[in-house]
Amino acid sequence: MKSQLLKVLVAAMLPVFLFLFAGNVTLNAQIYEPEGLNMPGAWNGWSNPPTNPVLANPNQFMDGQLIKISTGQTRWQTIFSSNAASGNLLPGNYNWLFTSGPSTNYYANKWAGVNVVMNTLQNYTFNTGADNNITLADGKWYTMNWEDLGYQNSRAIFMETSAEPIQITSVSVPANPIENTPSVVYITTNDAPSPEEIIYLRYTTDGWATSEVLIVTVSGSTWQASIPGQASGTVVDYYVFTSTVASLSADYDLCTIKLNNNSGTNYSFTVGTPPDPEITWANLQWPASGAITTGSEFLVY
């Protein structure tokens, strides 16, 4: 009787366990990080995990350069060159896949169905669709960002530049920001950007509930952006990033090539009030001297 009762209880509870297990899989917001993301294809003989570092994650291939970035929108990024003589990949037209899976089946999960259009966020279907296709030009660099939404349809972008993407080496903080007066931020880079690279400054005055972006411009040999004047007491947070996508108004993280966000804390300043006016130069006309009682008026020219 006890054995039969146990079987009944197990049978009754099994659908609950199955439901909970299925629910955990469905609600997973990111792919399983130890399995990471790979990009096998005709460009590496469909070897998976790839032994070409730019196509492999570091969890499954020690030198993998397809890395996870958790700042902002979680994404996986790789940067590679296409060059007939010395590139990471040879120029040409290739079929390929995004994949993620264990050592027993590296192709367990795939994202497919896209003919790549450069500098455009595109939708990849999960576990269905034909192989992706891409054309790599000779002498170009490519930055790929893949949006990590877990095991479901996702988006990715390939951004093409004429040279290796620049690094943003320093970002200044305004020393004495004054209310209702623009604050200038100065930026330096390790090299001149490619013609396709746009340097943006993104800022917020409400803790990133909303934000605005400014295009960084060059003045002489210095890059700078002017944050509009704000009311006294306003806290302005900001960082600088590069992209090839013009007129950005959303998906900033997915369209970022390189950024400088002060090691993850962002740059910040608080707007102050103007200092009291002071006489910096004067020519005393008259009187040469005088005496007054406290609080009374005394005219000096």
Side-chain angles (χ1 to χ4, degrees), residues 263-296:
S263 300
T265 62
N266 295 316
Y267 295 92
S268 181
F269 63 84
T270 301
V271 178
T273 57
D276 293 332
E278 61 181 39
I279 298 174
T280 56
W281 183 89
N283 180 27
L284 179 62
Q285 298 296 319
W286 66 274
S289 62
I292 59 171
T293 57
T294 302
S296 63

Side-chain angles (χ1 to χ4, degrees), residues 142-265:
Y142 297 90
T143 300
M144 188 291 302
N145 288 338
W146 181 82
E147 183 179 27
D148 192 343
L149 298 176
Y151 302 100
Q152 58 180 299
N153 295 346
S154 189
R155 297 179 296 169
I157 185 172
F158 284 81
M159 292 175 279
E160 184 183 75
T161 54
S162 300
E164 184 174 4
I166 59 171
Q167 301 278 355
I168 302 163
T169 53
S170 70
V171 178
S172 74
V173 177
N176 296 296
I178 298 173
E179 63 180 346
N180 303 320
T181 302
S183 297
V184 179
V185 175
Y186 297 97
I187 297 101
T188 59
T189 62
N190 68 323
D191 206 346
S194 300
E196 304 87 357
E197 282 180 289
I198 305 167
I199 306 176
Y200 287 103
L201 183 149
R202 184 184 177 200
Y203 73 94
T204 181
T205 59
D206 55 15
W208 301 107
T210 62
S211 66
E212 300 288 341
V213 292
L214 305 170
I215 295 179
V216 175
T217 58
V218 65
S219 176
S221 60
T222 304
W223 294 93
Q224 62 184 55
S226 184
I227 298 175
Q230 307 291 330
S232 178
T234 301
V235 177
V236 180
D237 298 303
Y238 62 98
Y239 68 94
V240 178
F241 69 99
T242 60
S243 179
T244 60
V245 182
S247 303
L248 266 176
S249 59
D251 296 312
Y252 305 108
D253 298 324
L254 293 179
C255 296
T256 292
I257 299 176
K258 296 285 187 177
L259 61 78
N260 185 328
N261 63 356
N262 198 23
S263 300
T265 62

Side-chain angles (χ1 to χ4, degrees), residues 3-50:
S3 177
Q4 291 177 342
L5 179 60
L6 180 61
K7 289 180 180 179
V8 171
L9 288 173
V10 170
M13 294 174 66
L14 183 58
V16 176
F17 287 132
L18 288 175
F19 173 77
L20 290 174
F21 178 76
N24 287 338
V25 171
T26 302
L27 295 177
N28 186 13
Q30 299 170 14
I31 63 172
Y32 184 50
E33 187 170 349
E35 294 174 2
L37 187 74
N38 292 313
M39 295 170 58
W43 44 28
N44 75 320
W46 290 100
S47 174
N48 202 16

